[in-house]
Amino acid sequence: SMGLPGPIVRIMNQWYIRKVGEDTWRQVAASDERTSDFRVHWDSSSVENGDYELLEQMNVFVKAGSQQQVVARTNTVKVAVSN
């Protein structure tokens, strides 16, 4: 058991990027396609070459009685972009 208060209604996986040392995240992709394991495509030519942080945020929407709750998880990884 995952300890969720009810059944899963929806899952949304969102991806953000920021240059190392900057404060602002910019969304680059999102997916709610469970059948494709939330696969996304990102064209790295939209950013300059350099070192970046990618943040993945997964939101799980759970039915809890007559309301929905959101359970969120984040993961960050450093990447180097070289177009």
Side-chain angles (χ1 to χ4, degrees):
S1 170
M2 295 175 55
L4 298 174
I8 294 173
V9 177
R10 179 177 177 219
I11 300 174
M12 173 62 75
N13 206 11
Q14 300 170 334
W15 293 89
Y16 300 87
I17 192 168
R18 72 177 176 190
K19 200 161 190 120
V20 170
E22 291 186 356
D23 294 325
T24 304
W25 292 98
R26 181 172 61 108
Q27 186 173 7
V28 293
S31 176
D32 61 358
E33 295 291 330
R34 291 175 81 173
T35 57
S36 69
D37 294 327
F38 307 100
R39 188 174 304 135
V40 295
H41 299 279
W42 171 54
D43 179 4
S44 65
S45 68
S46 65
V47 297
E48 298 174 357
N49 291 342
D51 295 326
Y52 289 85
E53 293 176 287
L54 279 176
L55 176 123
E56 174 233 358
Q57 179 173 334
M58 179 175 275
N59 294 320
V60 179
F61 299 85
V62 179
K63 184 157 178 68
S66 62
Q67 298 182 340
Q68 283 189 20
Q69 292 182 354
V70 179
V71 179
R73 180 199 68 144
T74 60
N75 187 35
T76 306
V77 63
K78 292 188 178 184
V79 296
V81 173
S82 178
N83 291 307

